[in-house]
C-alpha cells in the first residue's frame, strides 16, 4: 500500500501542477481551485486501495473520472482508469475485468459523444490501445501471481508429505522393533514360568536344582526387565523425551481427581466401594477413564453442570459410571440406538477398556446430560 500511496500522491501533484500552469497561462473556463483540488484528491485517493479492494477502488475511480475529465483537470483520470483495469484483471479476475472494461467503454463512448470532438477516430484508437495494453499487462502479471501461488502450495504439500512419510517410516520401524522386543520379553517370561514351576517341584527333593532354577529366573528376569524398558522407550512419543518419570495414579487417587475438578468449577459427587486389591493395570485404567470423562464434562457440559462418579466392584467385575447434567455438544438423534462417535479421548477410553477385556458405552443419559459406562473384569483370562 505504501507504493500505491506514493503513486497516488505523484498523480495528484502532477494534476495540481498542470492546473497551476494552465491558470498562469490564462486558459479560459478553468474551474475554481476549491472545486479542482477536491476533485483531484478524490480522483487519486481510491488508487491507494486498488490492491486491497480492487473492485471498489476501480468503480469509484470510474465515477470520479467522468467529473475529472469533464473539468479537464489533467491526466489523473486516464492514468487512474488504466491502473484500475490492470488491478481488476490481476486481483479480481477476468470476469470482473470484462465487466469493468465494458463500463469504461460505455462511459468513454458517452463522453466522446457529448464532446463532439473532431478527432473521434484518434480518441477511439487511443482508448482501444490503452485498454488492450492494460489488459495484456494484467493478464501477464495475474498469470505470474497464480503460478507463484501454485508453486508455493505444491512446495508446502511436498514438505507436508515428506514429513508424513518420515513419521510413517519411523512409526513402522518402531512397530517392528516393538514386536521383536515383545517376542524377547514373552520368551523370557515363559522361561521364568517354566523354571519357577520346576523349582517348586524340586524345592524339597533337590535343593541344588531348585537353587539353579531360581538363579536362572533371577537372571532371566533382569534381562526381561531391561528389554521391557527398551520396549517402552521405543513406544514412547518423541514429545515425552526429557520428562521426569513419576508413579502412575490408580483408583485410590480418584478422590484427589474429584477435588481438582471441584476446584476447576465442576461439582463432582464421588461414590466408591472397596478397590484396594485391584491389579495395577486395571486400577490405572479406571483412573484414566474417570479422568477423561470428567475432562469432557469440564470442556463440553457447559456452565453450571455437575458430575457424578460411581465406581463399584462386584466380585470380579468393576463397574464405572460417570454422568453429568450438562447440555453437551453432540446431539442425540431421535430413535437412534447407535453409539455416537467421539474424539481421541473417547478412543483412548475404549482402548483401555478393551485391553483389560472390558466394555465401554458412551452416549446421552436419560433425562439429559452425558454418561460414560465402563465394565472391567478384575482377573484377565489366561
Amino acid at each position: 500500500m505504501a507504493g500505491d500511496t506514493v503513486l497516488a500522491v505523484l498523480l495528484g501533484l502532477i494534476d495540481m501542477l498542470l492546473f497551476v500552469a494552465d491558470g498562469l497561462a490564462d486558459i479560459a473556463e478553468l474551474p475554481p481551485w476549491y472545486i479542482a483540488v477536491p476533485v483531484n484528491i478524490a480522483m487519486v485517493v481510491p488508487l491507494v486501495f486498488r490492491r486491497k479492494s480492487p473492485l471498489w477502488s476501480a468503480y469509484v475511480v470510474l465515477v470520479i473520472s467522468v467529473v475529472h475529465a469533464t473539468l479537464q483537470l489533467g491526466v489523473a483520470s486516464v492514468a487512474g482508469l488504466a491502473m484500475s483495469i490492470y488491478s481488476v484483471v490481476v486481483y479480481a479476475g477476468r470476469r470482473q475485468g470484462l465487466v469493468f472494461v465494458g463500463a469504461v467503454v460505455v462511459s468513454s463512448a458517452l463522453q466522446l459523444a457529448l464532446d463532439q470532438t473532431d478527432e473521434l477516430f484518434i480518441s477511439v484508437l487511443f482508448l482501444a490501445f490503452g485498454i488492450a495494453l492494460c489488459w495484456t499487462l494484467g493478464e501477464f502479471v495475474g498469470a505470474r501471481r497464480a503460478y507463484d501461488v501454485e508453486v508455493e502450495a505444491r512446495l508446502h504439500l511436498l514438505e507436508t508429505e515428506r514429513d508424513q512419510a518420515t513419521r510413517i517410516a519411523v512409526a513402522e520401524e518402531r512397530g517392528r522393533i516393538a514386536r521383536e522386543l515383545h517376542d524377547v520379553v514373552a520368551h523370557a517370561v515363559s522361561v521364568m514360568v517354566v523354571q519357577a514351576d520346576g523349582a517348586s517341584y524340586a524345592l524339597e527333593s533337590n535343593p541344588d536344582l531348585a537353587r539353579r532354577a531360581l538363579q536362572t529366573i533371577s537372571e532371566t528376569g533382569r534381562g526381561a526387565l531391561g528389554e521391557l524398558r527398551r520396549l517402552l522407550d521405543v513406544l514412547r512419543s518423541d514429545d515425552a523425551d526429557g520428562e521426569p518419570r513419576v508413579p502412575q495414579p490408580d483408583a485410590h487417587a480418584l478422590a484427589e481427581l474429584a477435588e481438582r475438578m471441584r476446584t476447576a468449577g465442576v461439582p463432582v459427587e464421588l461414590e466408591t466401594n472397596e478397590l484396594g486389591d485391584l491389579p495395577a493395570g486395571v486400577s490405572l485404567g479406571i483412573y484414566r477413564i474417570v479422568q477423561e470423562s470428567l475432562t469432557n464434562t469440564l470442556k463440553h457440559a457447559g456452565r453450571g453442570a455437575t458430575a457424578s462418579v460411581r465406581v463399584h466392584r462386584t466380585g470380579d467385575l468393576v463397574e464405572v459410571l460417570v454422568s453429568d447434567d450438562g447440555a453437551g455438544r453432540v446431539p442425540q438423534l431421535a430413535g437412534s440406538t447407535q453409539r455416537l462417535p467421539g474424539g481421541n479421548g473417547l478412543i483412548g477410553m475404549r482402548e483401555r477398556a478393551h485391553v483389560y477385556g472390558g466394555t465401554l458405552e458412551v452416549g446421552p443419559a436419560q433425562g439429559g446430560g452425558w454418561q460414560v459406562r465402563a465394565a472391567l473384569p478384575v482377573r484377565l483370562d489366561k
Side-chain angles (χ1 to χ4, degrees):
M1 183 176 289
D4 294 333
T5 302
V6 173
L7 185 60
V9 171
L10 289 177
L11 282 176
L13 289 176
I14 291 173
D15 273 7
M16 294 303 299
L17 291 175
L18 291 176
F19 178 77
V20 172
D22 291 342
L24 295 175
D26 293 331
I27 296 179
E29 298 182 357
L30 283 178
W33 67 268
Y34 52 84
I35 295 178
V37 172
V39 172
N40 275 328
I41 294 176
M43 185 71 235
V44 298
V45 165
L47 298 177
V48 177
F49 307 96
R50 67 183 185 88
R51 300 175 193 266
K52 187 176 180 180
S53 303
L55 291 178
W56 172 85
S57 171
Y59 283 102
V60 171
V61 167
L62 177 61
V63 172
I64 300 177
S65 68
V66 175
V67 179
H68 191 277
T70 301
L71 297 177
Q72 298 180 356
L73 296 178
V75 298
S77 57
V78 177
L81 286 176
M83 293 173 59
S84 297
I85 294 174
Y86 164 83
S87 301
V88 171
V89 175
V90 173
Y91 302 107
R94 294 189 183 95
R95 180 176 300 178
Q96 298 293 344
L98 286 174
V99 174
F100 181 70
V101 167
V104 171
V105 170
V106 171
S107 174
S108 301
L110 291 177
Q111 292 183 51
L112 291 175
L114 293 176
D115 290 344
Q116 296 180 353
T117 178
D118 296 334
E119 300 177 351
L120 180 62
F121 177 76
I122 297 177
S123 300
V124 172
L125 186 62
F126 178 77
L127 175 64
F129 176 77
I131 292 176
L133 178 62
C134 295
W135 185 278
T136 303
L137 186 60
E139 283 282 351
F140 175 77
V141 176
R144 184 66 184 181
R145 290 182 72 253
Y147 174 77
D148 292 340
V149 170
E150 184 178 358
V151 169
E152 183 178 356
R154 288 186 178 183
L155 288 176
H156 180 70
L157 180 61
L158 288 175
E159 291 178 358
T160 303
E161 291 179 350
R162 182 189 61 189
D163 294 340
Q164 290 180 347
T166 302
R167 287 194 294 268
I168 292 174
V170 171
E172 290 178 352
E173 184 64 17
R174 285 182 175 180
R176 183 185 65 82
I177 297 173
R179 288 191 296 270
E180 293 176 353
L181 293 178
H182 171 270
D183 295 340
V184 172
V185 173
H187 173 72
V189 173
S190 300
V191 171
M192 292 168 61
V193 172
V194 172
Q195 293 292 332
D197 290 340
S200 64
Y201 288 122
L203 186 60
E204 296 180 357
S205 60
N206 193 343
D208 292 336
L209 179 60
R211 189 180 300 109
R212 289 195 299 270
L214 292 175
Q215 184 178 1
T216 302
I217 292 173
S218 177
E219 295 174 353
T220 307
R222 289 190 181 93
L225 183 59
E227 296 296 338
L228 184 59
R229 286 174 178 169
R230 279 188 283 273
L231 172 62
L232 295 178
D233 287 338
V234 169
L235 296 179
R236 271 192 350 175
S237 172
D238 292 337
D239 297 335
D241 292 342
E243 293 184 358
R245 297 183 181 181
V246 297
Q248 295 289 347
D250 55 16
H252 298 288
L254 290 177
E256 181 182 353
L257 174 62
E259 185 61 31
R260 289 203 304 268
M261 287 296 170
R262 296 188 189 105
T263 304
V266 179
V268 178
E269 179 183 352
L270 178 63
E271 179 183 349
T272 63
N273 64 354
E274 183 58 38
L275 303 174
D277 58 345
L278 291 177
V282 175
S283 185
L284 174 60
I286 292 172
Y287 179 88
R288 293 303 187 194
I289 291 174
V290 174
Q291 181 186 39
E292 183 62 34
S293 302
L294 292 179
T295 301
N296 289 336
T297 298
L298 181 64
K299 290 181 178 179
H300 306 307
R303 187 174 299 178
T306 62
S308 173
V309 179
R310 181 179 180 273
V311 183
H312 277 207
R313 176 179 178 178
T314 305
D316 292 339
L317 186 67
V318 178
E319 294 181 341
V320 180
L321 177 62
V322 183
S323 59
D324 62 64
D325 57 359
R329 294 184 181 179
V330 183
Q332 184 180 13
L333 302 179
S336 175
T337 59
Q338 182 181 5
R339 297 176 184 174
L340 298 177
N344 293 332
L346 178 56
I347 294 175
M349 288 192 293
R350 182 172 288 119
E351 289 299 319
R352 287 186 180 274
H354 289 173
V355 162
Y356 299 106
T359 59
L360 181 79
E361 297 179 1
V362 180
Q366 294 183 354
W370 200 257
Q371 71 175 11
V372 177
R373 184 186 300 272
L376 284 76
V378 175
R379 292 187 177 89
L380 299 179
D381 295 334
K382 297 182 179 179

